[in-house]
Amino acid sequence: MKILISVDIEGVAGVYHSQQVRAGNPEYERARRLMTDEANAAIAGAFDAGADEVLVNDSHGDFRNLLPDVLDARAQVVQGKPRYLSMASGCELGVAGMCMVGYHSRAGGRGILAHTINSFAFAGIEFNGQPMSEASLYGALAGEHGVPVLMGSGDDVFIEENRALFPHAAFVQTKRATGQNSGVSLSPKKACEAIRAGVAEGIGRRAQARPLQLTTPLDVLLRTQTPALADLFCQWPEFERVDATALRFGARTVEAAVRMLNCCSAMSAMLR
Ligand SMILES: [Zn+2]
């Protein structure tokens, strides 16, 4: 049994501030170590539950945060960008399930470091009128490949948003949000213990878990942070301007929608 573990950083215990998630300062160097420790806890949980192969997907920022020399040597790691399946890379490689570690709630919410894909560019994303988070976007992308989400960890707002979408998954709360940049966290040690147990529990329930399947084709609504970003994205002829800061487009599959969104995210670097 092969298991995919996708690891982001904003939901990791002890992480609250943008400095901790942005490369180039000592706070980030500590936070990426905490992220790697939670990845290792998840890897251990997968092997506890009978996995014989584990793929770890580095799913934050430029996708090269996990410290390869500190990662459990039994796992293989997917790093670097761009890549078509982004935070779900590896789900095309015959995995039995996906675990989401260190995830966070969607843009516009009150969760710790809440955002969707790109906090500079995107204010919100809807698929067929439903607000999407990174967990629902990439859970649906994995679902398109027949892969169910088995486990998720992050703050209480992340869990609230996703419990109904992945009803058989095991959720682990690493911290409770009291604001975008504040909350109450488990110690990293306790968070790792809970993640290890949660991954094993989620894998244990995999027979009941179903891949998340969205109705396609998708009507995608993208709300941008500024009118200038919407001006830029609407250079793409398939995009229809809705208002100053919103545009919409159609996509045949979740993968097509995710790839178009990630192209917009890359384009937005022009306006930084
Ligand atoms: Zn992230």
Side-chain angles (χ1 to χ4, degrees):
M1 173 176 56
K2 196 193 290 187
I3 294 293
L4 173 65
I5 299 168
S6 169
V7 190
D8 203 347
I9 200 169
E10 287 87 354
V12 168
V15 173
Y16 297 100
H17 193 272
S18 58
Q19 266 190 354
Q20 291 174 287
V21 305
R22 201 172 300 143
N25 71 84
E27 289 284 320
Y28 165 76
E29 294 304 325
R30 288 179 68 92
R32 75 193 295 195
R33 176 64 200 240
L34 298 175
M35 176 192 184
T36 305
D37 290 344
E38 289 197 5
N40 277 339
I43 295 164
F47 283 110
D48 290 347
D52 46 29
E53 217 178 313
V54 174
L55 273 176
V56 179
N57 178 325
D58 190 326
S59 289
H60 173 69
D62 54 10
F63 297 161
R64 47 188 180 88
N65 310 277
L66 293 169
L67 300 162
D69 54 328
V70 182
L71 269 183
D72 189 319
R74 295 172 294 176
Q76 288 191 286
V77 60
V78 183
Q79 288 187 299
K81 77 183 338 177
R83 51 189 196 220
Y84 291 165
L85 303 182
S86 189
M87 296 173 80
S89 291
C91 75
E92 77 284 21
L93 300 175
V95 299
M98 176 176 176
C99 300
M100 297 174 164
V101 172
Y103 269 51
H104 51 82
S105 58
R106 63 178 175 251
R110 60 168 190 87
I112 295 167
L113 296 167
H115 68 283
T116 309
I117 298 182
N118 182 323
S119 56
F120 164 76
F122 299 167
I125 296 167
E126 291 176 17
F127 280 8
N128 297 336
Q130 294 302 309
M132 299 298 286
S133 62
E134 290 177 19
S136 59
L137 285 167
Y138 290 103
L141 183 51
E144 205 163 72
H145 288 264
V147 175
V149 170
L150 302 178
M151 179 270 182
S153 72
D155 70 10
D156 56 323
V157 183
F158 158 76
I159 295 172
E160 247 169 64
E161 283 179 8
N162 290 290
R163 206 187 281 284
L165 284 176
F166 310 111
H168 297 287
F171 283 99
V172 172
Q173 185 180 317
T174 55
K175 50 195 175 186
R176 180 169 56 79
T178 54
Q180 279 269 321
N181 294 111
S182 66
V184 183
S185 180
L186 294 181
S187 68
K189 187 171 181 289
K190 288 288 177 197
C192 285
E193 288 170 11
I195 287 166
R196 181 173 182 164
V199 166
E201 184 191 334
I203 293 173
R205 289 208 294 262
R206 69 188 180 284
Q208 290 109 283
R210 295 282 165 267
L212 175 60
Q213 232 105 49
L214 301 185
T215 308
T216 52
L218 297 161
D219 173 46
V220 180
L221 180 75
L222 172 59
R223 296 185 197 282
T224 63
Q225 295 284 14
T226 65
L229 285 156
D231 293 345
L232 172 66
F233 299 157
C234 285
Q235 300 305 306
W236 196 329
E238 281 167 56
F239 289 6
E240 176 198 335
R241 189 72 170 256
V242 175
D243 61 30
T245 53
L247 56 94
R248 61 177 357 118
F249 60 90
R252 272 184 306 108
T253 61
V254 176
E255 182 178 331
V258 164
R259 285 168 63 174
M260 290 166 89
L261 289 166
N262 282 321
C263 287
C264 290
S265 176
M267 282 164 77
S268 74
M270 180 190 156
L271 293 180
R272 274 194 192 251

